[in-house]
Amino acid sequence: MKIGITGGIGSGKTFICQLFKAMTVPVYNADDEAKELMNSDLRIKARLIAEFGEETYKDGKLDRAFLAEQIFSDKAKLELVNSIVHPVVIQAAKDWAEQQKSRYSLKEAALLFESGSYKDLDYTILVTAPLPIRVKRVMERDAVTEEQVMERINKQLSDEEKLKLADFVIINDGTTPLLPQVWTLHQKFLK
């Protein structure tokens, strides 16, 4: 079985994935893989250079700051980058999942619903947390302002929209125990 796990920035989905990993569940991190593929996949590199110029890469490595500057306030350019990168990452995730020998694997992706890749999965898990907690976590983790965090949050689907598409929910509000929620889902997926 292929299970997707997502959540808004600061929801704690990466920490939840670490709990699943501790139970020997293989986890594919789509966001990390996208960063890797943007540096290693020749199709992605060629298209990004064609669209944004040679300065997109320095010494063969993606200039993330340059690309971010190009797409920061231009939704069409952001969608263009996503249309270049997402199909390659989605295929890489499918190939990875096919190689797994466990009863199920997880695909962690911030844009699981936005990219449409959830349609290729058996189930989806949404990790939720109250907005003030998410904002605080990201401010502390990334040393950014509240305004910068809200800009990122506003570019993602809301939890309300994601709830309509999710099969399961893990609440990561700092008070609801996480391990019982993860363990319950783990047992369900093993069956």
Side-chain angles (χ1 to χ4, degrees), residues 1-64:
M1 266 194 319
K2 296 181 283 266
I3 314 292
I5 184 164
T6 193
I9 187 169
S11 63
K13 64 189 167 298
T14 300
F15 180 74
I16 300 298
C17 285
Q18 291 171 348
L19 296 177
F20 278 104
K21 279 183 185 177
M23 292 183 245
T24 69
V25 176
V27 177
Y28 179 91
N29 185 305
D31 301 336
D32 289 348
E33 190 65 21
K35 290 174 189 169
E36 174 61 33
L37 287 168
M38 289 173 84
N39 280 309
S40 64
D41 187 279
L42 298 179
R43 297 165 297 179
I44 291 175
K45 289 175 88 168
R47 293 224 24 229
L48 289 177
I49 290 169
E51 294 294 342
F52 298 99
E54 293 289 334
E55 58 271 30
T56 308
Y57 287 84
K58 284 186 184 170
D59 301 321
K61 294 288 182 198
L62 179 68
D63 185 339
R64 298 182 63 75

Side-chain angles (χ1 to χ4, degrees), residues 73-87:
S73 59
D74 190 327
K75 188 174 181 181
K77 286 183 179 178
L78 173 62
E79 288 174 1
L80 174 63
V81 170
N82 287 341
S83 75
I84 293 168
V85 177
H86 285 167

Side-chain angles (χ1 to χ4, degrees), residues 90-121:
I90 290 168
Q91 186 58 54
K94 288 178 186 177
D95 295 344
W96 174 87
E98 293 302 319
Q99 297 171 12
Q100 302 311 306
K101 304 293 184 221
S102 60
R103 299 282 301 267
Y104 74 97
S105 63
L106 287 178
K107 176 185 178 181
E108 175 187 0
L111 302 177
L112 189 73
F113 296 125
E114 293 89 336
S115 71
S117 66
Y118 74 98
K119 296 173 186 173
D120 297 322
L121 303 168

